Amino acid sequence: MKSDVGSLARPLRGIIPPMVTPLADRDALDVAGLERLVEHILAGGVHGLFILGTMGEAPSLSHRLRHELVDRVCALANRRVPVLVGIIDTSFVEALGLAHKAADAGADALVLPAPHYYPAGQPELLEFLRHLVPQLPLPAFLYNLPNHPRPMFDPETVQIAAAEMPGIVGLKDSSANMTYFRHLQFLMADRPDFALLMGPEMLLAETVLLGGHGGICGGANLLPRLYVDLYAAACAADMPRVQTLHRKVTELARTIYRVGRFESSFLKGLKCALSCLGICSDFLAEPLHRFRGPERDIVQRHITDLGITTNGFVSP
Amino acid sequence: MKSDVGSLARPLRGIIPPMVTPLADRDALDVAGLERLVEHILAGGVHGLFILGTMGEAPSLSHRLRHELVDRVCALANRRVPVLVGIIDTSFVEALGLAHKAADAGADALVLPAPHYYPAGQPELLEFLRHLVPQLPLPAFLYNLPNHPRPMFDPETVQIAAAEMPGIVGLKDSSANMTYFRHLQFLMADRPDFALLMGPEMLLAETVLLGGHGGICGGANLLPRLYVDLYAAACAADMPRVQTLHRKVTELARTIYRVGRFESSFLKGLKCALSCLGICSDFLAEPLHRFRGPERDIVQRHITDLGITTNGFVSP
Amino acid sequence: MKSDVGSLARPLRGIIPPMVTPLADRDALDVAGLERLVEHILAGGVHGLFILGTMGEAPSLSHRLRHELVDRVCALANRRVPVLVGIIDTSFVEALGLAHKAADAGADALVLPAPHYYPAGQPELLEFLRHLVPQLPLPAFLYNLPNHPRPMFDPETVQIAAAEMPGIVGLKDSSANMTYFRHLQFLMADRPDFALLMGPEMLLAETVLLGGHGGICGGANLLPRLYVDLYAAACAADMPRVQTLHRKVTELARTIYRVGRFESSFLKGLKCALSCLGICSDFLAEPLHRFRGPERDIVQRHITDLGITTNGFVSP
Amino acid sequence: MKSDVGSLARPLRGIIPPMVTPLADRDALDVAGLERLVEHILAGGVHGLFILGTMGEAPSLSHRLRHELVDRVCALANRRVPVLVGIIDTSFVEALGLAHKAADAGADALVLPAPHYYPAGQPELLEFLRHLVPQLPLPAFLYNLPNHPRPMFDPETVQIAAAEMPGIVGLKDSSANMTYFRHLQFLMADRPDFALLMGPEMLLAETVLLGGHGGICGGANLLPRLYVDLYAAACAADMPRVQTLHRKVTELARTIYRVGRFESSFLKGLKCALSCLGICSDFLAEPLHRFRGPERDIVQRHITDLGITTNGFVSP
């Protein structure tokens, strides 16, 4: 493990946006957009940056492009915040290769899902971790993928893995299953150094109010300050402010993320909005595709109605 | 498309085993085992060989190893039967890269699943095919993956894609949804050149009796002649023989494929049995792992009870 | 158990239509339509009549109306064919009450699903049968309900129950899971008196070709002779005739059952077609509702195109 | 609608325990236990009583017994708190009959799920409500049943129904889908009189912290005061107290509700604990059954360890 692992706060707290990947084409980064996006997000006061997750379209990208992205983002972030790198791959060998790339580029941690292709029981998931984690060159967060049914790490599996493997330092839960999250918190109560981070941003406020450590909020690509402020309000149990900001988060979910018919409309809406604001390209790698004109017009109208600018959220 | 595309029968008919991948380690082939396995299967009179499918653990293998396997199997098969190569990858670019590798190595066709990571509607699946298929250097079979729920090509999507894209020459259905398969057959009735192939071997007999073209039967790694004979009996509507051989197929499913607790016991049992017979290694890439002693003993006992030898099936 | 239980053939074979319930209103039978429907079905040469199943809207009907229906149908059938009565109820006591009503009215057998409200494991299902079956006044068929996920009787549970309880004489499987059905057939191979009957009519031909005993085919409300003929052709392994008749069955599924958006369109289309032919009312109990004008016009057009008359199917 | 409908607070707030049904046998109430249970619960300061829900085993009970229970509980409660009666039935006519019984007995409101047998789209659910609600003699709460997948009322459907039908006064959500609940709250923000109540008790604290109106908490059968206190603490945003009491709620979920293998262990554990405390019988109607000796011993040990007495919860 690299020498400055101590640089990663334990537990990691706050808002760590799951960065979208600005693309010029299916195998080319939008380099200028990437630079603008990183600066836009960091200007919001976030506490970390998570690249190559589900929101970053990692599974759709070539390994070459993933490696390029790791290099560029680590250089752009330049140690201002910790960089977390998702190693979503169905192949153990490929996931390990990406982990080494991340360490070489100066990333701070990895984000590791359960294998998602073959059905696996919890004993198999635990054995998988026992094989992989000791070989990882960086600390790792476990990752429950969105879109159930997919394999999840049972609370008991997390507890055992965290006790056995010092390299596992937290978990990102995108399952949207709040009962699961509460069980997990209960089991990990004696591990205050273990970060429990929420995926779905609609659940950020209550996560933090009841002791969770923060959120991997997709909307923080667009409005990083909103989520940072909501996190702070929840930490302070400032309930009126929590209510107000939570409502703004919900407004995004009711507008920009709901254009279009399919489950991917969250990601499409987010990239479209970033493009409307001039931050980066809205190209999406197959099998997804960007919104066409009519849908883009709706997104633009929502942006105007909500008073969103590149400097943040100005609601009426 | 390569010049000898005409060499692939239209429709492709018969038994095309989905070959397991003999592994010496997580990133090393069992080369001697691979040679024995290819010869064992071809000696059974099969009509093709399908590598890098779900049964071949393709998603768990590194790209390097997948490429090596393609080269070796094409060389070993040496045009005795058509070789089909699965291009299961969540990345368009990587899937296309593997397709070109297959063409260069002399494979005959590709097997292409719907993208399985992001939820996609049928219009998105169709658009995905419209982007990918014209770039493929070989004819392709669509592939409905096992383990529902996963995206499937709707019958209507198959019909449209087959009409638009001459490069799509058939479909392998591993969904185990026989109602789906019958709807699809009905829609494709005017395309006698389009191969409709069944994944689950328990459904081979009825597939062929009612006009399907064959099966991608996992058990044909172990007992290729059994499946070839059942296919022939079903083609001839020799019902007593169909019943007898179908019963033997079911015996495998009730014995060798059912050792162990998890859904992956089919693959584990198959590799274990091949190892017991001295054909190839039973190593499995993570997240799966080979059977330990007690489970292997059970498999060995089933082999003895069923009278299985490397030369075929000798039931009492 | 009533004295003439021997009157039920063992195994029960053939086509036993799951009769729709002709309704004048949500709590009133269409009595004249019921008489016409029973005669229409029996004229097709069917081997039994199954009332109060899923196709009969049993769960939507009041207990009073269910009792009335049992009385009327038993009287109308007048022992020309065996009458089977579904006892679908979430309450043990109510299900038992309906069973006694059926016996009193002269029905021949019951059809009994797994409890579907509370999640139950196989041991609980088996214990449920051990409590209920000895109290039943008639022989019973187990029933795997349509629309997975719902509790199913595992093949092993069926095997144990059938061995322990002489009152269980067969199973109707509406799960559309052909692999399940083949496993079950294998396990029950030494019980030739135990009837294995298929629900989804698209799977009738292959069920019978490979040793199943018949089908509970919804379409036999409309075209009883078609299914009786297909059953006979499959028994005789007359493959060209099987193919022809199976194709006609599929045509219904591609036309009359597919009008409208929801999963209930099978039932709506069927009742609508019966109404178009003047056989009975198309009223549906809540939560379903009959087709309105535009959808009815489409059904009428399909009837004309397919050449359906009250006397049977006359395709070009 | 009965004249004193105004007696039901709008919105209904607080803890409304979903009462278990004390049974002496499958069709007989444990009358003495029922009296003790009602007094035990009311002594905890709850804000209402909900009978004949999922926790009350309503679907497993005969209609006769359901009617008897309604009479007895209304008499026992004697207007000290509002009584809500679940009308879970697959038949419109039967559900309506039970609603009239509830009104006659003096109950205050009904709890009405989406029809759960036939798959129904949202338009069909809305039409179902339009038929049923105007005929109901009492105000009604919509009810999303536990154990997904089952039909749920979409947030938009709730919004439309609440706007159209004054008889619908709130919703109980047992889906455990917190994202759903937050969407619904957002849509209903302009209807402060519409009660949004949470089913799963693990989610009570956060529900109330972010503006929900209360909980239908199963554990309040056993420890009513605990839930009433947690509700009050959350209303007051007393975060340390919320954390402490939420932790006690979770302890129940990790102990008493987790004995036994199946999903029904929550209900079994709860009834067993009530029996251990001498409050009422632990008999369960089929298909469920009470815990046997070894499991009961574990529940008893948990009760001792947690310091539970009939007077409430005394943890170390």
Side-chain angles (χ1 to χ4, degrees):
Chain A
M1 214 168 283
K2 67 175 193 172
S3 55
D4 61 346
V5 55
S7 71
L8 191 73
R10 299 291 300 272
L12 183 62
R13 290 182 186 277
I15 301 300
I16 302 102
M19 204 181 75
V20 304
T21 301
L23 293 170
D25 202 342
R26 76 166 63 105
D27 202 23
L29 288 172
D30 166 15
V31 176
L34 176 64
E35 291 182 21
R36 283 191 298 270
L37 178 61
V38 169
E39 292 309 320
H40 171 70
I41 292 173
L42 293 196
V46 302
H47 308 87
L49 206 50
F50 167 39
I51 60 173
L52 292 176
T54 300
M55 198 65 63
E57 294 174 82
S60 303
L61 305 177
S62 73
H63 286 85
R64 188 204 61 70
L65 191 142
R66 293 188 221 186
H67 285 214
E68 181 187 346
L69 183 74
V70 171
D71 274 334
R72 288 189 183 275
V73 171
C74 287
L76 289 168
N78 194 22
R79 309 219 148 268
R80 288 179 285 174
V81 295
V83 174
L84 283 61
V85 177
I87 52 172
I88 306 175
D89 204 293
T90 54
S91 160
F92 185 102
V93 174
E94 298 290 349
L96 189 57
L98 185 55
H100 280 286
K101 173 68 205 178
D104 293 347
D108 299 90
L110 306 166
V111 180
L112 170 67
H116 65 274
Y117 192 84
Y118 292 99
Q122 296 296 317
E124 284 174 322
L125 294 187
L126 197 52
E127 182 160 339
F128 176 79
L129 293 177
R130 285 176 179 141
H131 285 200
L132 181 56
V133 173
Q135 300 195 35
L136 294 177
L138 289 174
F141 294 81
L142 302 180
Y143 179 12
N144 287 320
L145 295 169
N147 299 316
H148 183 77
R150 271 188 180 150
M152 286 177 67
F153 296 104
D154 272 0
E156 290 75 11
T157 301
V158 177
Q159 187 182 34
I160 295 169
E164 280 185 16
M165 306 170 206
I168 299 181
V169 298
L171 176 135
K172 172 193 177 183
D173 180 30
S174 291
S175 70
N177 180 340
M178 207 69 209
T179 308
Y180 166 90
F181 195 82
R182 296 305 177 205
H183 275 277
L184 183 56
Q185 278 187 297
F186 183 85
L187 276 187
M188 301 303 288
D190 62 348
R191 283 292 303 271
D193 60 316
F194 192 88
L196 293 171
L197 303 167
M198 177 52 57
E201 59 196 67
M202 296 275 285
L203 307 177
L204 172 64
E206 58 209 271
T207 293
V208 176
L209 282 170
L210 287 178
H213 299 101
I216 315 282
C217 308
N221 281 277
L222 188 63
L223 294 167
R225 178 65 63 189
L226 169 62
Y227 296 84
V228 169
D229 288 351
L230 176 51
Y231 167 74
C235 286
D238 179 347
M239 298 308 292
R241 190 157 166 75
V242 166
Q243 296 264 12
T244 301
L245 297 173
H246 170 71
R247 187 169 175 84
K248 288 186 191 296
V249 167
T250 309
E251 278 174 352
L252 292 175
R254 303 293 311 171
T255 52
I256 289 174
Y257 308 160
R258 283 168 77 91
V259 179
R261 277 186 300 166
F262 303 123
E263 291 185 57
S264 52
S265 59
F266 178 40
L267 178 51
K268 290 177 181 175
L270 193 57
K271 273 204 155 175
C272 183
L274 289 166
S275 167
C276 289
L277 292 175
I279 294 175
C280 66
S281 160
D282 61 350
F283 188 93
L284 286 147
E286 287 93 353
L288 306 179
H289 53 78
R290 73 176 94 192
F291 281 150
R292 271 71 171 195
E295 294 149 325
R296 187 178 172 101
D297 291 347
I298 297 172
V299 171
Q300 180 60 63
R301 188 154 10 102
H302 288 316
I303 289 174
T304 306
D305 292 350
L306 296 170
I308 295 174
T309 69
T310 52
N311 296 323
F313 199 68
V314 189
S315 89
Chain B
M1 213 168 287
K2 67 177 192 170
S3 54
D4 60 346
V5 56
S7 71
L8 190 73
R10 298 291 300 274
L12 183 62
R13 291 181 185 275
I15 301 300
I16 302 101
M19 204 181 74
V20 303
T21 302
L23 292 170
D25 201 343
R26 80 165 61 104
D27 202 23
L29 288 172
D30 166 15
V31 175
L34 176 64
E35 292 182 21
R36 282 191 299 270
L37 180 61
V38 169
E39 292 309 318
H40 171 70
I41 293 173
L42 293 196
V46 302
H47 309 86
L49 205 49
F50 167 39
I51 60 172
L52 292 176
T54 300
M55 197 65 62
E57 295 175 83
S60 303
L61 305 176
S62 72
H63 285 85
R64 186 205 61 71
L65 191 142
R66 293 188 221 185
H67 285 215
E68 182 188 344
L69 183 75
V70 171
D71 274 334
R72 287 190 185 274
V73 170
C74 288
L76 289 168
N78 194 22
R79 308 219 150 266
R80 288 179 285 173
V81 296
V83 174
L84 282 61
V85 177
I87 52 172
I88 307 176
D89 203 293
T90 55
S91 161
F92 185 101
V93 174
E94 298 290 349
L96 190 55
L98 185 55
H100 280 286
K101 173 68 205 177
D104 293 347
D108 299 89
L110 306 167
V111 180
L112 170 67
H116 65 275
Y117 191 85
Y118 292 99
Q122 295 297 316
E124 284 175 322
L125 294 187
L126 197 52
E127 181 160 340
F128 175 79
L129 293 177
R130 285 176 178 139
H131 285 199
L132 181 56
V133 173
Q135 299 195 34
L136 294 177
L138 290 174
F141 293 81
L142 302 179
Y143 179 12
N144 288 320
L145 295 169
N147 299 314
H148 183 77
R150 274 190 178 145
M152 285 178 67
F153 297 104
D154 272 1
E156 290 76 9
T157 301
V158 177
Q159 187 182 33
I160 296 168
E164 280 186 15
M165 305 170 208
I168 298 182
V169 298
L171 177 135
K172 172 192 176 183
D173 180 29
S174 291
S175 71
N177 181 340
M178 207 71 209
T179 309
Y180 166 90
F181 195 82
R182 297 304 176 205
H183 275 279
L184 182 56
Q185 278 187 297
F186 184 86
L187 277 187
M188 301 302 288
D190 62 347
R191 282 291 304 271
D193 60 318
F194 192 88
L196 294 171
L197 302 166
M198 177 52 57
E201 59 196 65
M202 296 275 285
L203 307 177
L204 172 64
E206 59 209 271
T207 293
V208 176
L209 282 170
L210 286 177
H213 299 101
I216 315 283
C217 308
N221 282 275
L222 188 63
L223 294 166
R225 178 65 63 189
L226 170 62
Y227 297 84
V228 169
D229 288 351
L230 176 52
Y231 167 74
C235 286
D238 177 348
M239 298 309 292
R241 188 156 167 75
V242 165
Q243 296 265 12
T244 301
L245 297 173
H246 170 70
R247 187 169 174 84
K248 288 186 191 295
V249 167
T250 309
E251 278 174 351
L252 292 175
R254 303 292 313 169
T255 53
I256 289 174
Y257 307 160
R258 282 169 77 90
V259 178
R261 276 186 303 167
F262 303 122
E263 290 184 57
S264 51
S265 58
F266 178 39
L267 178 50
K268 290 177 181 176
L270 193 56
K271 271 204 157 177
C272 183
L274 289 166
S275 167
C276 289
L277 292 176
I279 294 175
C280 66
S281 161
D282 60 350
F283 189 92
L284 286 147
E286 287 94 352
L288 306 179
H289 54 79
R290 71 175 97 194
F291 281 149
R292 271 69 171 197
E295 293 148 326
R296 187 179 172 99
D297 291 347
I298 297 171
V299 171
Q300 179 60 64
R301 188 153 12 100
H302 287 316
I303 289 174
T304 306
D305 291 351
L306 296 171
I308 295 173
T309 69
T310 52
N311 296 323
F313 198 69
V314 188
S315 90
Chain C
M1 211 168 286
K2 67 176 193 171
S3 54
D4 60 345
V5 56
S7 72
L8 192 73
R10 299 288 302 272
L12 183 61
R13 291 181 185 277
I15 301 299
I16 302 103
M19 203 182 74
V20 304
T21 301
L23 293 169
D25 201 342
R26 77 165 63 103
D27 202 25
L29 287 172
D30 166 16
V31 175
L34 176 64
E35 291 182 21
R36 283 192 298 270
L37 179 61
V38 169
E39 293 309 319
H40 171 69
I41 292 173
L42 294 195
V46 302
H47 309 86
L49 206 50
F50 167 39
I51 60 172
L52 292 176
T54 300
M55 198 65 63
E57 294 175 83
S60 303
L61 305 176
S62 72
H63 286 85
R64 188 204 60 70
L65 191 141
R66 293 188 222 185
H67 285 215
E68 181 187 346
L69 182 74
V70 171
D71 274 335
R72 288 190 185 274
V73 171
C74 288
L76 289 168
N78 194 22
R79 306 218 150 269
R80 287 178 286 173
V81 295
V83 174
L84 283 61
V85 177
I87 52 172
I88 307 177
D89 203 293
T90 55
S91 161
F92 184 101
V93 174
E94 298 291 348
L96 190 56
L98 186 54
H100 281 287
K101 173 68 203 178
D104 292 348
D108 299 90
L110 306 166
V111 180
L112 170 66
H116 66 275
Y117 191 84
Y118 292 99
Q122 295 298 316
E124 284 175 322
L125 294 187
L126 196 52
E127 182 159 341
F128 175 80
L129 294 177
R130 286 175 178 141
H131 286 199
L132 182 55
V133 173
Q135 300 195 34
L136 294 178
L138 289 174
F141 294 81
L142 303 179
Y143 179 11
N144 288 319
L145 295 169
N147 297 316
H148 182 77
R150 271 187 180 149
M152 285 177 68
F153 296 104
D154 273 1
E156 289 77 10
T157 301
V158 177
Q159 187 182 33
I160 295 169
E164 281 185 15
M165 306 169 206
I168 299 181
V169 298
L171 177 136
K172 172 193 176 184
D173 180 30
S174 291
S175 70
N177 180 340
M178 207 70 210
T179 309
Y180 166 89
F181 194 83
R182 296 305 177 205
H183 275 277
L184 183 55
Q185 279 186 296
F186 184 85
L187 277 187
M188 301 302 288
D190 61 348
R191 284 290 305 271
D193 60 318
F194 192 88
L196 294 171
L197 301 167
M198 177 52 58
E201 60 196 65
M202 295 276 284
L203 306 177
L204 172 64
E206 58 209 273
T207 293
V208 176
L209 282 171
L210 287 177
H213 299 100
I216 315 282
C217 308
N221 281 277
L222 188 63
L223 294 167
R225 178 66 62 190
L226 169 62
Y227 297 84
V228 168
D229 288 350
L230 176 52
Y231 167 75
C235 286
D238 178 347
M239 298 309 294
R241 189 155 166 77
V242 166
Q243 296 265 11
T244 300
L245 297 172
H246 170 71
R247 186 169 176 86
K248 287 185 192 296
V249 168
T250 308
E251 278 174 352
L252 292 175
R254 304 291 313 169
T255 53
I256 289 175
Y257 307 160
R258 284 168 77 91
V259 178
R261 276 186 303 165
F262 304 123
E263 291 185 56
S264 51
S265 58
F266 178 39
L267 178 50
K268 290 177 180 175
L270 193 56
K271 272 203 157 177
C272 184
L274 289 166
S275 167
C276 290
L277 291 175
I279 295 174
C280 66
S281 160
D282 60 351
F283 188 92
L284 286 148
E286 287 93 353
L288 305 180
H289 54 77
R290 72 175 96 196
F291 281 148
R292 271 70 171 195
E295 294 149 324
R296 186 179 173 100
D297 291 347
I298 297 171
V299 171
Q300 180 61 64
R301 187 152 13 98
H302 287 316
I303 289 173
T304 307
D305 291 350
L306 296 171
I308 296 174
T309 69
T310 51
N311 296 324
F313 199 68
V314 190
S315 89
Chain D
M1 213 168 286
K2 68 177 194 174
S3 56
D4 60 346
V5 56
S7 70
L8 191 74
R10 299 289 301 272
L12 182 63
R13 289 181 188 277
I15 301 299
I16 301 102
M19 204 180 75
V20 304
T21 301
L23 292 171
D25 201 343
R26 77 165 62 103
D27 202 24
L29 287 173
D30 166 15
V31 175
L34 176 64
E35 291 182 23
R36 282 192 299 271
L37 179 61
V38 169
E39 293 309 318
H40 171 69
I41 292 173
L42 294 195
V46 302
H47 309 86
L49 207 48
F50 167 39
I51 61 172
L52 292 177
T54 300
M55 197 66 61
E57 295 175 81
S60 303
L61 305 175
S62 72
H63 285 85
R64 187 205 61 70
L65 190 142
R66 292 187 222 186
H67 285 215
E68 181 188 345
L69 183 75
V70 171
D71 274 334
R72 289 190 184 273
V73 170
C74 287
L76 290 168
N78 194 23
R79 305 220 151 268
R80 288 180 285 174
V81 296
V83 174
L84 282 61
V85 177
I87 51 171
I88 307 176
D89 204 292
T90 54
S91 161
F92 185 101
V93 174
E94 298 291 347
L96 190 56
L98 185 55
H100 280 287
K101 172 68 203 178
D104 293 347
D108 299 272
L110 306 167
V111 180
L112 171 66
H116 66 274
Y117 191 85
Y118 291 99
Q122 295 297 316
E124 284 175 322
L125 295 187
L126 197 52
E127 182 159 339
F128 175 78
L129 293 177
R130 285 176 179 141
H131 286 199
L132 181 56
V133 173
Q135 300 195 34
L136 294 177
L138 290 173
F141 294 81
L142 302 180
Y143 179 11
N144 287 320
L145 296 169
N147 299 316
H148 183 77
R150 272 187 179 150
M152 285 178 67
F153 296 105
D154 272 0
E156 290 75 11
T157 301
V158 177
Q159 188 181 35
I160 295 169
E164 280 185 16
M165 306 170 207
I168 299 181
V169 298
L171 177 136
K172 172 192 177 185
D173 180 30
S174 290
S175 71
N177 181 340
M178 207 71 209
T179 309
Y180 166 89
F181 195 83
R182 298 303 177 205
H183 276 278
L184 182 57
Q185 278 186 297
F186 184 87
L187 276 187
M188 301 302 288
D190 62 348
R191 282 291 304 271
D193 60 316
F194 192 88
L196 294 171
L197 301 167
M198 176 53 57
E201 58 195 68
M202 295 276 284
L203 307 177
L204 171 64
E206 59 210 271
T207 293
V208 176
L209 282 170
L210 287 178
H213 299 101
I216 314 282
C217 308
N221 281 277
L222 187 64
L223 295 166
R225 178 64 63 189
L226 170 61
Y227 296 84
V228 169
D229 288 350
L230 176 51
Y231 168 73
C235 286
D238 178 348
M239 297 310 292
R241 191 157 165 75
V242 165
Q243 295 265 11
T244 301
L245 297 173
H246 170 69
R247 186 169 175 85
K248 288 185 192 296
V249 168
T250 309
E251 277 174 352
L252 292 175
R254 303 292 313 171
T255 53
I256 288 174
Y257 307 160
R258 284 168 77 90
V259 179
R261 278 186 302 168
F262 303 124
E263 289 184 60
S264 52
S265 58
F266 178 39
L267 178 51
K268 290 177 181 176
L270 193 56
K271 272 204 156 177
C272 184
L274 288 166
S275 168
C276 289
L277 292 175
I279 294 174
C280 67
S281 160
D282 61 349
F283 188 92
L284 287 148
E286 287 94 351
L288 305 179
H289 54 77
R290 72 176 95 194
F291 280 150
R292 271 71 170 196
E295 293 148 325
R296 187 179 172 100
D297 292 347
I298 297 172
V299 170
Q300 180 60 63
R301 188 154 10 102
H302 287 316
I303 289 174
T304 306
D305 292 350
L306 296 171
I308 296 174
T309 70
T310 52
N311 296 323
F313 197 70
V314 190
S315 89

